Amino acid sequence: MKSKVAEDFRELISAVAYLPSVSLIMPFDPKMCLRTELDYKIANAIKEIERRLLNDYPRERAEPVITKLKELAGRLNYNTYKKSIGIFVNPIVEKIYYLDIAVDEKIIIDESFEIRDLIYSKKDIHKYLVLIISAEWAKMYIGNTTQFIRIKSTTPDNVSAYKNDMPERVSNFTEPQKHKEIMLDKFLRHTDDGLSIILNTTPLPVFVIGSERALGHFKKISKNTNRIIAYIHGNYEQEHETEIRELLKPYTDDWKKVKQEDLLHQLNNAADAGLLVSGIKDVWNAAAAKNAKLLVTEKNFMYPAHLSPGAGIASVEQHEPNALYIKDAVDDIIAKVLENGGDVEFADDGMLKDHDHIALIKYYHGVY
């Protein structure tokens, strides 16, 4: 059975140009904001759209769109548990979509609608994990553009916790240095386990800061090396948040590069876990089966196709008679992923050449 929302998305994507077309994308999280606050923001956005429409189009063309927009705003669902909305209106189409992605407010007035505008409007939140290690202790933080928050791990954050946990034959070593190295490895292995737990729930880029000795040990024992963006050498035991932030600045200033590297890390991890599908046809099938946690596609990748009932998609050159033509199967996939609570990221062109330009991380193993 076809999804009604997916059909609506396809209708929106394939709608003929009919000026003016208005897209209003904005945060909409009733469970976190007062209704009066949301109403105020929506009213202001509509006022701005009305001003621009009346300024750029004849009144007889602008007013029907303004009327539809106000009617849609009056029918918004304040019981939703989503994070944002996309409102699309032109003289012949009116649609509202409730989405699970955080977005920045964006108003687009053009000749047509683009589902990709929803992704371009995603809030670019600079969030990352920082693990600071030494031969004695470890600290972990979640950082963003404004603050650091200390994460309290369930594992001990000081190597002294493992002194009484050493086998007697090891604790009686006459070589103190060898004893210390064994304790350090044990401590860092548990620290890495704590990092794994956090990454399973909060998959963010990771920076590891520490002395050369601590980093050397950590690289040998860590199971998360393919999630780490950079190892930063130095003894920063006494550094404050401002100094740590300054240390990370060369990396966080080029956030696009950090984000792209982290996406590749996530794809590689998913491949190792058997949760990655690549190529337009397999990605289409996974999205259609509602098994899409994260879709990554090159930003300019498009795929005109035909859809055959029960046979999935085929290129425009190879298809069954009477198959449904799709202007861009990638837009349809984006719609399906967003509809079912998944996330979507764009990669630079060429970055996914090993995945045929598009890849998808599934929620679970299974047949689709």
Side-chain angles (χ1 to χ4, degrees):
M1 185 178 186
K2 289 184 181 177
S3 161
K4 179 65 169 63
V5 178
E7 289 179 356
D8 286 349
F9 264 120
R10 185 173 295 122
E11 178 187 343
L12 186 69
I13 293 164
S14 61
V16 296
Y18 204 111
L19 293 173
S21 291
V22 174
S23 304
L24 171 59
I25 301 161
M26 63 186 301
F28 188 79
D29 193 349
K31 68 182 182 297
M32 298 298 292
C33 298
L34 293 174
R35 176 163 182 167
T36 53
E37 181 182 349
L38 291 174
D39 285 342
Y40 177 76
K41 291 179 178 179
I42 291 166
N44 279 347
I46 292 175
K47 284 181 183 178
E48 173 60 18
I49 292 169
E50 184 173 5
R51 183 193 67 78
R52 288 168 57 178
L53 285 174
L54 292 174
N55 183 64
D56 297 338
Y57 296 91
R59 181 172 290 273
E60 63 270 18
R61 297 182 69 180
E63 284 188 342
V65 176
I66 295 168
T67 300
K68 282 189 175 186
L69 184 61
K70 290 179 178 179
E71 289 175 352
L72 284 180
R75 303 203 303 264
L76 292 177
N77 177 14
Y78 285 82
N79 294 317
T80 181
Y81 282 86
K82 304 294 186 178
K83 298 176 183 176
S84 57
I85 53 172
I87 301 177
F88 300 87
V89 180
N90 72 15
I92 60 172
V93 175
E94 54 183 65
K95 301 289 181 185
I96 303 175
Y97 300 106
Y98 298 88
L99 305 165
D100 274 323
I101 57 175
V103 300
D104 289 313
E105 183 175 318
K106 189 172 185 179
I107 295 170
I108 304 156
I109 300 176
D110 205 341
E111 65 177 21
S112 63
F113 305 111
E114 288 288 344
I115 195 67
R116 295 176 189 237
D117 287 330
L118 287 170
I119 310 307
Y120 294 138
S121 300
K122 281 183 60 176
K123 191 180 289 292
D124 189 15
I125 303 173
H126 294 199
K127 290 179 70 174
Y128 49 86
L129 295 172
V130 181
L131 174 62
I132 306 177
I133 57 177
S134 75
E136 300 294 331
W137 55 263
K139 296 178 183 177
M140 199 177 310
Y141 299 86
I142 186 167
N144 57 35
T145 51
T146 60
Q147 62 182 336
F148 274 4
I149 300 173
R150 176 80 183 273
I151 300 174
K152 190 64 179 175
S153 175
T154 55
T155 58
D157 59 7
N158 196 293
V159 72
S160 61
Y162 298 94
K163 287 182 178 177
N164 297 326
D165 195 30
M166 300 288 289
E168 184 177 352
R169 61 185 178 82
V170 174
S171 59
N172 289 333
F173 277 158
T174 56
E175 301 178 48
Q177 186 58 38
K178 189 170 183 179
H179 185 194
K180 288 181 180 179
E181 299 298 304
I182 294 173
M183 282 185 58
L184 178 57
D185 280 347
K186 187 177 183 67
F187 167 57
L188 292 177
R189 190 170 286 108
H190 281 270
T191 299
D192 188 58
D193 290 341
L195 176 60
S196 296
I197 293 170
I198 292 168
L199 285 172
N200 283 336
T201 58
T202 312
L204 295 173
V206 182
F207 298 95
V208 182
I209 301 172
S211 65
E212 189 170 345
R213 177 186 171 216
L215 291 182
H217 279 259
F218 186 79
K219 289 178 185 178
K220 290 180 190 176
I221 59 92
S222 176
K223 300 186 295 290
N224 295 298
T225 54
N226 56 355
R227 294 303 311 272
I228 295 166
I229 299 298
Y231 296 93
I232 303 172
H233 291 266
N235 186 356
Y236 298 101
E237 296 184 21
Q238 304 304 320
E239 297 292 335
H240 298 292
E241 176 185 322
T242 52
E243 284 79 14
I244 298 299
R245 193 182 294 279
E246 191 64 26
L247 187 70
L248 294 171
K249 195 170 185 300
Y251 303 94
T252 56
D253 278 354
D254 192 358
W255 186 252
K256 180 181 176 182
K257 180 179 178 182
V258 170
K259 190 70 177 287
Q260 299 278 299
E261 287 184 15
D262 187 57
L263 285 175
L264 286 178
H265 288 332
Q266 291 188 58
L267 295 181
N268 290 336
N269 287 344
D272 291 342
L275 294 174
L276 184 72
V277 293
S278 301
I280 190 73
K281 294 181 181 180
D282 286 344
V283 168
W284 173 280
N285 291 337
K290 302 181 181 181
N291 190 4
K293 181 178 181 181
L294 174 65
L295 171 71
V296 185
T297 180
E298 292 179 1
K299 62 179 64 175
N300 290 312
F301 177 53
M302 300 179 69
Y303 191 86
H306 283 89
L307 175 63
S308 300
I313 60 169
S315 67
V316 290
E317 295 83 10
Q318 299 175 338
H319 64 89
E320 297 178 2
N322 303 317
L324 174 66
Y325 174 72
I326 302 173
K327 184 174 73 172
D328 182 16
V330 178
D331 277 351
D332 269 35
I333 291 170
I334 291 172
K336 291 175 187 292
V337 171
L338 292 177
E339 167 202 345
N340 292 298
D343 201 357
V344 180
E345 293 286 356
F346 286 131
D348 287 341
D349 292 338
M351 190 178 116
L352 302 180
K353 60 181 182 297
D354 293 337
H355 301 281
D356 292 331
H357 312 292
I358 188 168
L360 182 146
I361 298 174
K362 300 188 292 183
Y363 279 112
Y364 51 84
H365 294 278
V367 179
Y368 47 81

